[in-house]
PDB file of all heavy atoms in Angstrom:
ATOM      1  N   ASP H 622       0.840  -1.213  -0.034  1.00  0.00           N
ATOM      2  CA  ASP H 622      -0.007  -0.001   0.019  1.00  0.00           C
ATOM      3  C   ASP H 622       0.854   1.284  -0.004  1.00  0.00           C
ATOM      4  O   ASP H 622       0.545   2.225  -0.691  1.00  0.00           O
ATOM      5  CB  ASP H 622      -0.937   0.011   1.249  1.00  0.00           C
ATOM      6  CG  ASP H 622      -2.006  -1.020   1.109  1.00  0.00           C
ATOM      7  OD1 ASP H 622      -2.291  -1.550   0.031  1.00  0.00           O
ATOM      8  OD2 ASP H 622      -2.664  -1.325   2.191  1.00  0.00           O
ATOM      9  N   ILE H 623       1.993   1.221   0.725  1.00  0.00           N
ATOM     10  CA  ILE H 623       2.893   2.372   0.750  1.00  0.00           C
ATOM     11  C   ILE H 623       3.527   2.519  -0.574  1.00  0.00           C
ATOM     12  O   ILE H 623       3.572   3.690  -1.143  1.00  0.00           O
ATOM     13  CB  ILE H 623       3.972   2.171   1.832  1.00  0.00           C
ATOM     14  CG1 ILE H 623       3.362   2.174   3.257  1.00  0.00           C
ATOM     15  CG2 ILE H 623       5.049   3.272   1.702  1.00  0.00           C
ATOM     16  CD1 ILE H 623       4.356   1.798   4.357  1.00  0.00           C
ATOM     17  N   LYS H 624       3.977   1.466  -1.200  1.00  0.00           N
ATOM     18  CA  LYS H 624       4.604   1.510  -2.500  1.00  0.00           C
ATOM     19  C   LYS H 624       3.614   2.027  -3.555  1.00  0.00           C
ATOM     20  O   LYS H 624       3.975   2.804  -4.495  1.00  0.00           O
ATOM     21  CB  LYS H 624       5.129   0.165  -2.921  1.00  0.00           C
ATOM     22  CG  LYS H 624       5.899   0.133  -4.204  1.00  0.00           C
ATOM     23  CD  LYS H 624       6.488  -1.238  -4.478  1.00  0.00           C
ATOM     24  CE  LYS H 624       7.324  -1.254  -5.783  1.00  0.00           C
ATOM     25  NZ  LYS H 624       7.950  -2.541  -6.022  1.00  0.00           N
ATOM     26  N   ALA H 625       2.326   1.672  -3.423  1.00  0.00           N
ATOM     27  CA  ALA H 625       1.365   2.079  -4.398  1.00  0.00           C
ATOM     28  C   ALA H 625       0.919   3.510  -4.191  1.00  0.00           C
ATOM     29  O   ALA H 625       0.232   4.105  -5.054  1.00  0.00           O
ATOM     30  CB  ALA H 625       0.129   1.163  -4.351  1.00  0.00           C
ATOM     31  N   GLY H 626       1.255   4.105  -3.054  1.00  0.00           N
ATOM     32  CA  GLY H 626       0.926   5.451  -2.784  1.00  0.00           C
ATOM     33  C   GLY H 626      -0.509   5.666  -2.243  1.00  0.00           C
ATOM     34  O   GLY H 626      -0.984   6.795  -2.141  1.00  0.00           O
ATOM     35  N   THR H 627      -1.115   4.567  -1.824  1.00  0.00           N
ATOM     36  CA  THR H 627      -2.461   4.663  -1.238  1.00  0.00           C
ATOM     37  C   THR H 627      -2.475   5.137   0.241  1.00  0.00           C
ATOM     38  O   THR H 627      -3.511   5.467   0.743  1.00  0.00           O
ATOM     39  CB  THR H 627      -3.224   3.336  -1.361  1.00  0.00           C
ATOM     40  OG1 THR H 627      -2.477   2.328  -0.656  1.00  0.00           O
ATOM     41  CG2 THR H 627      -3.364   2.938  -2.823  1.00  0.00           C
ATOM     42  N   ILE H 628      -1.298   5.104   0.828  1.00  0.00           N
ATOM     43  CA  ILE H 628      -1.125   5.574   2.201  1.00  0.00           C
ATOM     44  C   ILE H 628       0.311   5.993   2.424  1.00  0.00           C
ATOM     45  O   ILE H 628       1.204   5.422   1.800  1.00  0.00           O
ATOM     46  CB  ILE H 628      -1.512   4.466   3.236  1.00  0.00           C
ATOM     47  CG1 ILE H 628      -1.648   5.030   4.661  1.00  0.00           C
ATOM     48  CG2 ILE H 628      -0.575   3.303   3.141  1.00  0.00           C
ATOM     49  CD1 ILE H 628      -2.204   4.073   5.627  1.00  0.00           C
ATOM     50  N   THR H 629       0.502   7.025   3.236  1.00  0.00           N
ATOM     51  CA  THR H 629       1.877   7.415   3.508  1.00  0.00           C
ATOM     52  C   THR H 629       2.477   6.466   4.539  1.00  0.00           C
ATOM     53  O   THR H 629       1.764   5.788   5.298  1.00  0.00           O
ATOM     54  CB  THR H 629       1.940   8.853   4.104  1.00  0.00           C
ATOM     55  OG1 THR H 629       1.297   8.857   5.365  1.00  0.00           O
ATOM     56  CG2 THR H 629       1.262   9.830   3.151  1.00  0.00           C
ATOM     57  N   PHE H 630       3.816   6.494   4.601  1.00  0.00           N
ATOM     58  CA  PHE H 630       4.498   5.649   5.558  1.00  0.00           C
ATOM     59  C   PHE H 630       4.085   6.001   6.954  1.00  0.00           C
ATOM     60  O   PHE H 630       3.804   5.115   7.803  1.00  0.00           O
ATOM     61  CB  PHE H 630       6.028   5.833   5.425  1.00  0.00           C
ATOM     62  CG  PHE H 630       6.843   4.892   6.233  1.00  0.00           C
ATOM     63  CD1 PHE H 630       7.360   3.750   5.678  1.00  0.00           C
ATOM     64  CD2 PHE H 630       7.065   5.116   7.607  1.00  0.00           C
ATOM     65  CE1 PHE H 630       8.116   2.844   6.417  1.00  0.00           C
ATOM     66  CE2 PHE H 630       7.815   4.238   8.367  1.00  0.00           C
ATOM     67  CZ  PHE H 630       8.341   3.071   7.777  1.00  0.00           C
ATOM     68  N   GLU H 631       3.961   7.319   7.279  1.00  0.00           N
ATOM     69  CA  GLU H 631       3.632   7.771   8.594  1.00  0.00           C
ATOM     70  C   GLU H 631       2.258   7.332   9.020  1.00  0.00           C
ATOM     71  O   GLU H 631       2.032   6.850  10.122  1.00  0.00           O
ATOM     72  CB  GLU H 631       3.800   9.281   8.684  1.00  0.00           C
ATOM     73  CG  GLU H 631       5.217   9.774   8.531  1.00  0.00           C
ATOM     74  CD  GLU H 631       5.793   9.618   7.124  1.00  0.00           C
ATOM     75  OE1 GLU H 631       5.018   9.595   6.129  1.00  0.00           O
ATOM     76  OE2 GLU H 631       7.046   9.548   7.007  1.00  0.00           O
ATOM     77  N   LYS H 632       1.275   7.461   8.135  1.00  0.00           N
ATOM     78  CA  LYS H 632      -0.064   7.052   8.426  1.00  0.00           C
ATOM     79  C   LYS H 632      -0.175   5.539   8.558  1.00  0.00           C
ATOM     80  O   LYS H 632      -0.923   5.036   9.393  1.00  0.00           O
ATOM     81  CB  LYS H 632      -1.051   7.556   7.333  1.00  0.00           C
ATOM     82  CG  LYS H 632      -1.230   9.042   7.281  1.00  0.00           C
ATOM     83  CD  LYS H 632      -1.947   9.553   8.540  1.00  0.00           C
ATOM     84  CE  LYS H 632      -2.213  11.061   8.478  1.00  0.00           C
ATOM     85  NZ  LYS H 632      -2.826  11.531   9.740  1.00  0.00           N
ATOM     86  N   ALA H 633       0.576   4.817   7.759  1.00  0.00           N
ATOM     87  CA  ALA H 633       0.590   3.331   7.857  1.00  0.00           C
ATOM     88  C   ALA H 633       1.189   2.913   9.206  1.00  0.00           C
ATOM     89  O   ALA H 633       0.719   1.934   9.820  1.00  0.00           O
ATOM     90  CB  ALA H 633       1.392   2.778   6.714  1.00  0.00           C
ATOM     91  N   ALA H 634       2.207   3.645   9.672  1.00  0.00           N
ATOM     92  CA  ALA H 634       2.794   3.298  10.987  1.00  0.00           C
ATOM     93  C   ALA H 634       1.776   3.575  12.072  1.00  0.00           C
ATOM     94  O   ALA H 634       1.552   2.735  12.968  1.00  0.00           O
ATOM     95  CB  ALA H 634       4.049   4.158  11.209  1.00  0.00           C
ATOM     96  N   GLU H 635       1.089   4.676  12.024  1.00  0.00           N
ATOM     97  CA  GLU H 635       0.078   5.035  13.031  1.00  0.00           C
ATOM     98  C   GLU H 635      -1.024   3.950  13.082  1.00  0.00           C
ATOM     99  O   GLU H 635      -1.493   3.606  14.161  1.00  0.00           O
ATOM    100  CB  GLU H 635      -0.543   6.367  12.754  1.00  0.00           C
ATOM    101  CG  GLU H 635       0.411   7.552  12.931  1.00  0.00           C
ATOM    102  CD  GLU H 635      -0.205   8.906  12.519  1.00  0.00           C
ATOM    103  OE1 GLU H 635      -1.410   8.883  12.173  1.00  0.00           O
ATOM    104  OE2 GLU H 635       0.506   9.899  12.488  1.00  0.00           O
ATOM    105  N   ALA H 636      -1.380   3.432  11.932  1.00  0.00           N
ATOM    106  CA  ALA H 636      -2.484   2.480  11.846  1.00  0.00           C
ATOM    107  C   ALA H 636      -2.116   1.051  12.124  1.00  0.00           C
ATOM    108  O   ALA H 636      -2.932   0.242  12.510  1.00  0.00           O
ATOM    109  CB  ALA H 636      -3.195   2.604  10.495  1.00  0.00           C
ATOM    110  N   ASN H 637      -0.832   0.695  11.862  1.00  0.00           N
ATOM    111  CA  ASN H 637      -0.504  -0.733  11.869  1.00  0.00           C
ATOM    112  C   ASN H 637       0.674  -1.131  12.769  1.00  0.00           C
ATOM    113  O   ASN H 637       0.804  -2.299  13.079  1.00  0.00           O
ATOM    114  CB  ASN H 637      -0.152  -1.156  10.427  1.00  0.00           C
ATOM    115  CG  ASN H 637      -1.318  -0.985   9.465  1.00  0.00           C
ATOM    116  OD1 ASN H 637      -2.208  -1.827   9.424  1.00  0.00           O
ATOM    117  ND2 ASN H 637      -1.267   0.099   8.673  1.00  0.00           N
ATOM    118  N   SER H 638       1.498  -0.212  13.175  1.00  0.00           N
ATOM    119  CA  SER H 638       2.711  -0.610  13.901  1.00  0.00           C
ATOM    120  C   SER H 638       2.430  -1.017  15.320  1.00  0.00           C
ATOM    121  O   SER H 638       1.525  -0.440  15.985  1.00  0.00           O
ATOM    122  CB  SER H 638       3.734   0.530  13.895  1.00  0.00           C
ATOM    123  OG  SER H 638       4.943   0.140  14.538  1.00  0.00           O
ATOM    124  N   ASP H 639       3.173  -2.014  15.794  1.00  0.00           N
ATOM    125  CA  ASP H 639       3.058  -2.479  17.170  1.00  0.00           C
ATOM    126  C   ASP H 639       4.103  -1.816  18.047  1.00  0.00           C
ATOM    127  O   ASP H 639       4.236  -2.182  19.259  1.00  0.00           O
ATOM    128  CB  ASP H 639       3.215  -3.993  17.227  1.00  0.00           C
ATOM    129  CG  ASP H 639       2.067  -4.707  16.594  1.00  0.00           C
ATOM    130  OD1 ASP H 639       0.922  -4.216  16.719  1.00  0.00           O
ATOM    131  OD2 ASP H 639       2.264  -5.744  15.958  1.00  0.00           O
ATOM    132  N   CYS H 640       4.859  -0.892  17.520  1.00  0.00           N
ATOM    133  CA  CYS H 640       5.911  -0.187  18.317  1.00  0.00           C
ATOM    134  C   CYS H 640       5.329   1.136  18.848  1.00  0.00           C
ATOM    135  O   CYS H 640       4.542   1.817  18.167  1.00  0.00           O
ATOM    136  CB  CYS H 640       7.104   0.114  17.424  1.00  0.00           C
ATOM    137  SG  CYS H 640       8.428   0.999  18.262  1.00  0.00           S
ATOM    138  N   PRO H 641       5.692   1.528  20.054  1.00  0.00           N
ATOM    139  CA  PRO H 641       5.233   2.797  20.643  1.00  0.00           C
ATOM    140  C   PRO H 641       5.586   4.018  19.719  1.00  0.00           C
ATOM    141  O   PRO H 641       4.928   5.029  19.787  1.00  0.00           O
ATOM    142  CB  PRO H 641       5.942   2.908  21.952  1.00  0.00           C
ATOM    143  CG  PRO H 641       6.223   1.518  22.360  1.00  0.00           C
ATOM    144  CD  PRO H 641       6.488   0.763  21.069  1.00  0.00           C
ATOM    145  N   SER H 642       6.559   3.873  18.839  1.00  0.00           N
ATOM    146  CA  SER H 642       6.950   4.931  17.915  1.00  0.00           C
ATOM    147  C   SER H 642       5.808   5.265  16.933  1.00  0.00           C
ATOM    148  O   SER H 642       5.852   6.288  16.251  1.00  0.00           O
ATOM    149  CB  SER H 642       8.202   4.546  17.177  1.00  0.00           C
ATOM    150  OG  SER H 642       7.987   3.454  16.322  1.00  0.00           O
ATOM    151  N   LYS H 643       4.780   4.418  16.864  1.00  0.00           N
ATOM    152  CA  LYS H 643       3.609   4.660  15.976  1.00  0.00           C
ATOM    153  C   LYS H 643       3.007   6.014  16.271  1.00  0.00           C
ATOM    154  O   LYS H 643       2.478   6.669  15.334  1.00  0.00           O
ATOM    155  CB  LYS H 643       2.584   3.581  16.153  1.00  0.00           C
ATOM    156  CG  LYS H 643       1.878   3.535  17.514  1.00  0.00           C
ATOM    157  CD  LYS H 643       0.995   2.349  17.697  1.00  0.00           C
ATOM    158  CE  LYS H 643      -0.195   2.409  16.828  1.00  0.00           C
ATOM    159  NZ  LYS H 643      -1.108   1.261  16.987  1.00  0.00           N
ATOM    160  N   ALA H 644       3.048   6.485  17.472  1.00  0.00           N
ATOM    161  CA  ALA H 644       2.491   7.779  17.837  1.00  0.00           C
ATOM    162  C   ALA H 644       3.216   8.919  17.128  1.00  0.00           C
ATOM    163  O   ALA H 644       2.628  10.003  16.964  1.00  0.00           O
ATOM    164  CB  ALA H 644       2.575   8.000  19.347  1.00  0.00           C
ATOM    165  N   LYS H 645       4.424   8.680  16.692  1.00  0.00           N
ATOM    166  CA  LYS H 645       5.232   9.678  15.966  1.00  0.00           C
ATOM    167  C   LYS H 645       5.429   9.264  14.501  1.00  0.00           C
ATOM    168  O   LYS H 645       6.414   9.615  13.883  1.00  0.00           O
ATOM    169  CB  LYS H 645       6.587   9.905  16.644  1.00  0.00           C
ATOM    170  CG  LYS H 645       6.454  10.382  18.090  1.00  0.00           C
ATOM    171  CD  LYS H 645       7.836  10.628  18.705  1.00  0.00           C
ATOM    172  CE  LYS H 645       8.577   9.330  18.903  1.00  0.00           C
ATOM    173  NZ  LYS H 645       9.869   9.535  19.595  1.00  0.00           N
TER     174      LYS H 645
END
């Protein structure tokens, strides 16, 4: 999805990451 440009890396991190850094 990131490669296709349907979502930014940052938004994808916020929505999917299991690391506390998702908040940033």
Side-chain angles (χ1 to χ4, degrees):
D622 289 343
I623 293 171
K624 186 175 182 178
T627 58
I628 190 171
T629 66
F630 188 97
E631 293 71 25
K632 291 295 183 183
E635 292 174 7
N637 298 281
S638 184
D639 293 322
C640 178
S642 65
K643 65 188 293 182
K645 299 182 292 183

